[in-house]
Amino acid sequence: MSIQELINQIHKKKSFLCIGLDVDLEKIPAYLLSEEDPIFAFNKAIIDATQQFAVAYKPNTAFYEACGIKGWKALQKTVDYLHDNYPEIYTIADAKRGDIGNTSRMYAKTFLLDMGFDSVTVAPYMGKDSVEPFLEFQNRHTILLALTSNEGAFDFQTKKVDDLELYKQVLTTSRTWKNSENLMYVVGATKAEYLQEIRKIVPNSFLLVPGVGAQGGKLEEVCKSGMNKDVGLLVNSARKIIYASDSSNFAEVAGAKAEVLQKQMEEELRQL
Amino acid sequence: MSIQELINQIHKKKSFLCIGLDVDLEKIPAYLLSEEDPIFAFNKAIIDATQQFAVAYKPNTAFYEACGIKGWKALQKTVDYLHDNYPEIYTIADAKRGDIGNTSRMYAKTFLLDMGFDSVTVAPYMGKDSVEPFLEFQNRHTILLALTSNEGAFDFQTKKVDDLELYKQVLTTSRTWKNSENLMYVVGATKAEYLQEIRKIVPNSFLLVPGVGAQGGKLEEVCKSGMNKDVGLLVNSARKIIYASDSSNFAEVAGAKAEVLQKQMEEELRQL
């Protein structure tokens, strides 16, 4: 999907909500466990109930790998279901991959071509030749970890590297890489005060912002500092939506939670 | 497997060779493609022909994910085959994972418990709480990326962070994390001159050294600067061994290539 198509969808739905499909079999309603594919059954119900309020879905691969072969099948079924039924929706494989060049190329092909995701998250530690293979695909995006939402972000990411914090080095340096127009960045919402700094370096890039909700980041602050003329934000929420209820009406409750966020986003978009 | 068992195996086999099982269907002998599971057939033949010269095997997950469900099945069959037939051999999932705490826990469980690998490679960018979940398992190891063998390593890893290069910060900081005795580190052999510096920070840790062979690192230099009283090295070779021949005697040729490296390692061990 092109960036313009994503922007169009945002304006049409008045939402920049991304829903994290971090499916844990211990947290989904117990009655789903008797389904042939409980993970997919859960995802399908969540997607159907929330899709009018969301522009993107982001399964985190860790949760699927944890279920072995069944997990990978459910992941593929989920992305196929999204593309077949809601082709305007943007899909993100939250995989945080990255390896030497020829190996990164395998990961890129797996997620962006074979599985058909619109984008994949990638870790920057191994530098240019570990990321550029992901950038080669037209209308596919690489969402590079810049400043993450966890405590450990302060171990290295915020440390000064040649007078510039590491996450700023990642932003600055990655802009020089080939096909860098296909980059987006992960910026944790728990660090909204950093967003202004980030916007100075990457004014036009889309930012994927996790941590609004369960991790405590605030939507209003994120928008104030992070929004650009193209909106430029995908705000992710996972647990607060998908695990809002564990009873038989879980999907309906998830839909209501997503709608609350969508309404807040509509308000923010009005100020654009 | 405990570190002591690994050391014992190294002395018994007079080898610290790790063989990278980076199986690419476009590179294996074509006649194997008619097998029900070509990847496993290839791995089994390579393992049987090389196991007396190697102490560890390291499948890189990218190559298996690239084959979808079939790839994951072949990966599980490979690690099971190793444990069932050669229980003294050390297994490494070269997965380069890392995520926020609860998600890293899923990855750790997947690779170290469910799949049964002795160790898994992990990226350090997200810091302490992204790595500690991997360190909780007794007699399992987390091999943290410190200084990788690719060009992109110079983008961030060798940059000065508070007067210390980032890779040294990673080494120093990670030693303070809980259960840090379960850490090993990835150090590219293409940068043998850095090994002395690294040994000042982590004198006792095992180092996984890729890049000897196809990537051009030299074994003698690596040993001179990187070996410690417990050997402390696992030197990985993949392409130069597993793709040494693409004819029907590929496994035999791989065995011969592995033996050459083992003999060189025996010589290095003699000087310990």
Side-chain angles (χ1 to χ4, degrees):
Chain A
M1 185 184 299
S2 71
I3 292 284
Q4 192 54 54
E5 288 172 296
L6 174 60
I7 296 169
N8 293 347
Q9 192 200 168
I10 289 172
H11 288 301
K12 185 179 145 201
K13 287 188 177 166
K14 298 180 175 58
S15 168
F16 41 95
L17 177 61
C18 174
I19 295 182
L21 296 173
D22 301 349
V23 184
D24 185 339
L25 288 179
E26 292 178 9
K27 288 186 185 163
I28 69 174
Y31 77 90
L32 285 178
L33 298 177
S34 61
E35 295 268 343
E36 194 191 328
D37 185 344
I39 303 174
F40 177 69
F42 179 79
N43 282 349
K44 182 179 176 304
I46 292 282
I47 290 165
D48 289 341
T50 58
Q51 54 81 26
Q52 59 181 308
F53 309 115
V55 295
Y57 287 85
K58 178 178 77 62
N60 186 309
T61 54
F63 292 83
Y64 298 83
E65 287 182 29
C67 298
I69 306 294
K70 283 183 184 173
W72 278 94
K73 280 186 184 167
L75 180 59
Q76 185 65 64
K77 274 167 78 175
T78 300
V79 68
D80 289 346
Y81 183 78
L82 280 164
H83 289 156
D84 292 346
N85 294 277
Y86 308 108
E88 78 283 8
I89 280 180
Y90 190 77
T91 53
I92 303 169
D94 193 2
K96 300 186 176 70
R97 300 296 198 263
D99 208 308
I100 58 172
N102 65 331
T103 311
S104 265
R105 191 158 285 114
M106 305 291 274
Y107 280 132
K109 186 176 160 290
T110 298
F111 289 107
L112 300 178
L113 280 189
D114 300 345
M115 300 195 78
F117 281 97
D118 292 303
S119 60
V120 58
T121 58
V122 170
Y125 191 73
M126 294 178 71
K128 175 176 167 164
D129 57 310
S130 73
V131 181
E132 281 190 341
F134 288 96
L135 298 174
E136 290 173 11
F137 300 88
Q138 214 183 357
N139 291 331
R140 295 283 190 276
H141 307 105
T142 302
I143 312 182
L144 200 63
L145 302 185
L147 189 61
T148 56
S149 58
N150 63 323
E151 267 303 300
F154 298 107
D155 284 329
F156 307 118
Q157 296 168 25
T158 55
K159 291 277 166 68
K160 284 259 173 90
V161 179
D162 293 343
D163 293 329
L164 206 62
E165 290 90 338
L166 177 58
Y167 77 92
K168 291 185 185 174
Q169 286 277 3
V170 167
L171 293 168
T172 308
T173 305
S174 64
R175 280 168 59 92
T176 68
W177 295 341
K178 198 177 172 189
N179 300 313
S180 63
E181 68 277 10
N182 293 331
L183 279 170
M184 299 183 178
Y185 299 94
V186 173
V187 180
T190 48
K191 297 175 185 61
E193 68 271 25
Y194 291 86
L195 275 165
Q196 291 179 2
E197 295 292 302
I198 288 167
R199 274 295 178 218
K200 288 179 193 165
I201 306 173
V202 288
N204 302 319
S205 302
F206 256 81
L207 307 178
L208 171 64
V209 185
V212 175
Q215 294 178 61
K218 288 197 187 82
L219 183 68
E220 204 180 320
E221 287 174 26
V222 168
C223 292
K224 196 175 162 191
S225 306
M227 210 177 252
N228 66 16
K229 64 176 177 11
D230 293 325
V231 186
L233 294 174
L234 288 172
V235 168
N236 186 71
S237 182
R239 285 168 275 174
K240 287 261 179 173
I241 292 178
I242 70 174
Y243 299 132
S245 162
D246 63 356
S247 61
S248 61
N249 69 340
F250 72 95
E252 199 183 318
V253 176
K257 291 278 177 188
E259 188 175 10
V260 169
L261 274 170
Q262 182 271 319
K263 290 292 179 220
Q264 291 172 15
M265 290 177 176
E266 186 170 347
E267 191 58 40
E268 295 296 334
L269 287 171
R270 211 170 274 148
Q271 296 167 33
L272 193 66
Chain B
M1 185 184 298
S2 71
I3 291 284
Q4 192 54 53
E5 288 172 295
L6 174 61
I7 296 168
N8 293 348
Q9 192 200 168
I10 289 171
H11 288 300
K12 185 178 146 204
K13 288 187 176 166
K14 298 180 175 60
S15 169
F16 42 96
L17 177 61
C18 174
I19 296 183
L21 296 173
D22 301 349
V23 184
D24 184 339
L25 289 178
E26 291 179 9
K27 288 185 184 162
I28 69 174
Y31 76 91
L32 286 178
L33 298 177
S34 60
E35 295 267 344
E36 194 191 327
D37 185 343
I39 303 174
F40 177 69
F42 179 79
N43 281 350
K44 182 179 176 303
I46 291 283
I47 290 165
D48 289 340
T50 57
Q51 53 81 25
Q52 60 182 308
F53 310 114
V55 295
Y57 287 85
K58 179 178 77 62
N60 185 308
T61 53
F63 293 82
Y64 298 83
E65 287 182 27
C67 299
I69 306 293
K70 283 184 184 172
W72 278 94
K73 280 188 184 165
L75 179 60
Q76 185 65 63
K77 274 167 80 176
T78 300
V79 68
D80 289 346
Y81 183 78
L82 280 163
H83 288 156
D84 291 346
N85 294 277
Y86 309 108
E88 78 282 7
I89 280 180
Y90 190 77
T91 52
I92 303 169
D94 194 1
K96 299 186 175 71
R97 298 299 198 263
D99 209 309
I100 59 172
N102 65 331
T103 310
S104 266
R105 190 158 286 113
M106 305 290 276
Y107 281 131
K109 186 176 160 291
T110 299
F111 289 106
L112 300 178
L113 280 190
D114 300 344
M115 301 195 78
F117 281 97
D118 292 304
S119 60
V120 58
T121 59
V122 171
Y125 191 74
M126 295 179 68
K128 175 175 168 166
D129 58 309
S130 75
V131 180
E132 281 190 343
F134 288 95
L135 298 174
E136 288 173 12
F137 300 88
Q138 214 183 358
N139 291 331
R140 295 283 191 276
H141 307 104
T142 302
I143 313 182
L144 199 63
L145 302 186
L147 189 61
T148 57
S149 58
N150 63 323
E151 267 302 302
F154 298 108
D155 283 330
F156 308 116
Q157 297 167 26
T158 57
K159 292 277 165 68
K160 284 260 175 87
V161 179
D162 293 343
D163 293 329
L164 206 62
E165 291 90 339
L166 177 59
Y167 77 93
K168 291 185 185 174
Q169 287 277 4
V170 167
L171 293 168
T172 307
T173 305
S174 65
R175 279 168 59 92
T176 68
W177 296 340
K178 198 176 172 192
N179 299 311
S180 64
E181 68 277 10
N182 293 332
L183 279 170
M184 299 183 177
Y185 299 95
V186 173
V187 180
T190 46
K191 298 175 184 60
E193 68 272 25
Y194 291 86
L195 274 165
Q196 292 179 2
E197 295 291 302
I198 288 167
R199 274 297 178 216
K200 288 180 193 164
I201 307 173
V202 290
N204 301 319
S205 302
F206 256 82
L207 308 178
L208 172 63
V209 185
V212 175
Q215 294 179 62
K218 287 199 188 79
L219 182 68
E220 204 180 320
E221 287 175 25
V222 168
C223 293
K224 197 174 162 190
S225 306
M227 211 177 249
N228 66 17
K229 64 175 180 6
D230 294 325
V231 186
L233 294 174
L234 289 172
V235 169
N236 187 71
S237 183
R239 287 168 274 175
K240 286 261 179 174
I241 292 177
I242 69 174
Y243 299 132
S245 162
D246 62 357
S247 61
S248 61
N249 68 341
F250 71 96
E252 200 182 316
V253 177
K257 290 279 177 187
E259 188 174 11
V260 170
L261 272 170
Q262 181 272 318
K263 290 292 178 218
Q264 291 173 15
M265 289 177 176
E266 185 170 349
E267 192 58 40
E268 295 295 334
L269 287 169
R270 212 171 273 147
Q271 296 169 33
L272 194 66

